[in-house]
């Protein structure tokens, strides 16, 4: 068996195009321009790349993009003051504080200061709690992307056995909630789980969000399983540039899985596209408009 490759790049491009169409519609019909503010503290090179990509894609979708770059040694009070100002700003419908923050800042306090209605990263406890309660919420972007990729293979996830490996607030936990909302049967695994290979062998859907290069082996998988690899790991290559690999041993998995996302070109592509979706949804909700058709 050779698994079908789930083309995250193409699915993300299609989603961005649908967002752009809806943005054009709300601009035309309601004079509403959705706006996203991204706050970057310091000079982490990976964060700078992500922020640039968010800026470009936000503008390409026809939305307003506001960038706030703050020095590494910004005080917590100054950062909180900026967030309060963005919370009040009617042109801003989504606020994203790029993580990780420097150690001198208290991440939880910063996230909790964001107006939940503008929390497009879905990390505020109000949104996490609403999601866990099965209520409408702004959900974290990477798990949303995982669900869209899965549905490109299985339009209904009802009754399917899923395993989510990893329980972070950013990926694993919200992904479990989204899968429950889709009526999947979910196992959540983490660093203390025992018999991970056996747990995986029962799963129709495998989500790896661990941060350990190629940890999930091909012979762990149920034949025909759909595998969504969230991991982004840079491994050194002798005399060359580091290579990007996921949390799944891709070549091995290709021979067993029914469908699989590549790294790069899979989940990573979806994260920013889903950020645009969340910004559009937040703008419509704040303006009292019906939820957009994306
Ligand atoms: P975290 O480090 O916050 O969480 C990792 C999770 O993996 C933890 O729950 C941990 O368990 C679990 N874990 C660690 N070791 C094992 C093991 N041996 N067996 C089973 N579980 C284990 O990472 P994130 O959730 O933030 O990210 C996970 C991966 O996804 C990373 O590679 C990251 O780069 C990538 N990522 C990709 C994104 C994208 O857009 N494609 C976006 C966000 C993340 P415990 O809780 O017990 O410690």
């Amino acid at each position: 068996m050779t698994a079908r490759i789930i083309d995250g790049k193409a699915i993300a491009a299609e989603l961005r195009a649908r967002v752009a169409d809806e943005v054009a519609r709300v601009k035309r019909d309601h004079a509403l321009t959705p706006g996203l503010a991204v706050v970057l503290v310091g000079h982490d090179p990976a964060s700078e790349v992500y922020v640039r990509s968010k800026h470009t894609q936000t503008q390409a979708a026809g939305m307003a993009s506001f960038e706030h770059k703050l020095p590494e040694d910004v005080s917590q009070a100054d950062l909180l003051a900026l967030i309060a100002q963005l919370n009040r700003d009617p042109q801003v419908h989504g606020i994203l504080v790029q993580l990780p923050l420097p150690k001198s800042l208290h991440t939880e306090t910063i996230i909790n200061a964001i107006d939940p209605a503008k929390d497009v990263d879905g990390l505020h406890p109000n949104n996490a709690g609403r999601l866990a309660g099965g209520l409408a919420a702004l959900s974290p972007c990477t798990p949303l992307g995982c669900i869209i990729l899965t549905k490109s293979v299985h339009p209904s996830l009802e009754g399917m056995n899923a395993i989510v490996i990893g329980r972070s607030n950013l990926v694993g936990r919200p992904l479990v909630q989204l899968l429950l909302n889709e009526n999947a049967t979910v196992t959540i695994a983490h660093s203390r789980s025992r018999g991970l290979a056996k747990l995986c062998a029962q799963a129709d859907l495998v989500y790896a969000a661990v941060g350990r290069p190629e940890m999930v082996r091909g012979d762990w998988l149920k034949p025909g399983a759909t595998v969504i690899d969230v991991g982004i790991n840079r491994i050194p290559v002798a005399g060359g540039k580091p290579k990007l690999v996921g949390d799944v041993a891709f070549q091995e998995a290709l021979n067993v899985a029914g469908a699989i996302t590549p790294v790069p070109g899979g989940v990573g592509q979806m994260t920013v596209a889903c950020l645009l979706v969340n910004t559009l949804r937040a703008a419509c909700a704040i303006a009292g408009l019906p939820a957009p058709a994306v």
Side-chain angles (χ1 to χ4, degrees), residues 263-289:
V263 177
V267 175
Q269 294 280 331
M270 295 300 291
T271 298
V272 182
C274 288
L275 176 65
L276 304 181
V277 171
N278 273 354
T279 304
L280 174 62
R281 282 185 183 154
C284 289
I286 290 167
L289 301 175

Side-chain angles (χ1 to χ4, degrees), residues 63-85:
M63 300 188 193
S65 173
F66 308 98
E67 264 185 36
H68 296 270
K69 293 189 174 170
L70 303 177
E72 178 91 20
D73 61 355
V74 66
S75 70
Q76 174 123 331
D78 284 352
L79 180 50
L80 288 171
L82 172 62
I83 290 172
Q85 178 202 317

Side-chain angles (χ1 to χ4, degrees), residues 117-162:
K118 298 187 177 186
D119 167 41
V120 283
D121 236 357
L123 292 176
H124 191 286
N126 276 27
N127 281 313
R130 289 183 65 85
L131 179 63
L135 302 170
L138 286 167
S139 307
C141 303
T142 302
L144 271 181
C146 290
I147 297 291
I148 295 171
L149 292 174
T150 313
K151 286 186 148 188
S152 74
V153 181
H154 305 286
S156 167
L157 311 187
E158 184 164 323
M160 297 184 88
N161 284 334

Side-chain angles (χ1 to χ4, degrees), residues 50 142 165-173 189-193 196 208-212 215 220 229-234 245-247 266-272:
Y50 291 138
T142 302
I165 313 172
R167 57 176 167 180
S168 70
N169 288 340
L170 189 62
V171 188
R173 284 173 199 263
H190 44 78
S191 66
R192 315 293 169 87
S193 297
L196 196 50
V210 180
R212 288 182 165 243
M215 184 187 84
W220 293 16
D229 191 350
V230 182
I232 300 177
N233 308 287
R234 283 174 181 80
V245 299
D247 289 342
V267 175
Q269 294 280 331
M270 295 300 291
T271 298
V272 182

Side-chain angles (χ1 to χ4, degrees), residues 1 64 74 76 102 104-105 123 130 145 159 217 219 242 248 252 256 264 287 289:
M1 177 189 290
V74 66
Q76 174 123 331
S104 55
L105 299 167
L123 292 176
R130 289 183 65 85
R217 310 309 307 187
D219 62 6
V248 178
E252 290 178 18
V256 188
L289 301 175

